């Protein structure tokens, strides 16, 4: 018997590794956030794992970006 889950299969996504520099204070804040996230949800996770989700959430809530993104294709953004 197969049980169906509400979530369903996860989509296959392509990942790209990025490296960036940030102030030491931001790194410390990211590590504290990861600790709080682990305490809140019970799953140990590091800041590097959370960063893509944080950026995605930030961009999804940025009205200017969403408005620009729906009015033009990403390839037309200035470099």
């Amino acid at each position: 018997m197969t049980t169906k889950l509400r979530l369903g299969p996860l989509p296959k996504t392509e990942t790209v590794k990025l490296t960036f520099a940030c102030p030491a204070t931001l790194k410390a804040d990211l590590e504290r956030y990861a600790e709080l996230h682990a305490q809140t949800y019970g799953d140990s996770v590091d800041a590097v794992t959370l960063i893509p989700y944080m950026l995605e959430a930030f961009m999804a809530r940025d009205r200017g970006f969403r408005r620009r993104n729906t009015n033009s294709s990403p390839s037309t953004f200035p470099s």
Side-chain angles (χ1 to χ4, degrees), residues 7-33:
L7 180 59
L10 296 177
K12 293 183 180 186
T13 59
E14 179 181 347
T15 59
V16 178
K17 184 174 182 171
L18 296 176
T19 303
F20 73 98
C22 68
T25 54
L26 176 58
K27 182 181 182 294
D29 285 344
L30 288 167
E31 290 171 351
R32 281 195 297 274
Y33 190 97

Side-chain angles (χ1 to χ4, degrees), residues 1 3 10 15 28-29 35 39 47 50 55 58 65 77:
M1 181 169 133
T3 303
L10 296 177
T15 59
D29 285 344
E35 289 173 17
Q39 290 172 4
L50 290 176
L55 289 172
F58 172 82
F65 178 75
F77 285 4

Side-chain angles (χ1 to χ4, degrees), residues 17-72:
K17 184 174 182 171
L18 296 176
T19 303
F20 73 98
C22 68
T25 54
L26 176 58
K27 182 181 182 294
D29 285 344
L30 288 167
E31 290 171 351
R32 281 195 297 274
Y33 190 97
E35 289 173 17
L36 179 60
H37 188 275
Q39 290 172 4
T40 302
Y41 298 107
D43 290 329
S44 181
V45 63
D46 63 359
V48 172
T49 302
L50 290 176
I51 290 170
Y53 297 100
M54 295 169 136
L55 289 172
E56 186 176 44
F58 172 82
M59 292 172 68
R61 289 179 180 90
D62 187 307
R63 289 185 205 164
F65 178 75
R66 283 195 329 242
R67 184 172 35 253
R68 176 81 185 260
N69 199 30
T70 58
N71 292 334
S72 61

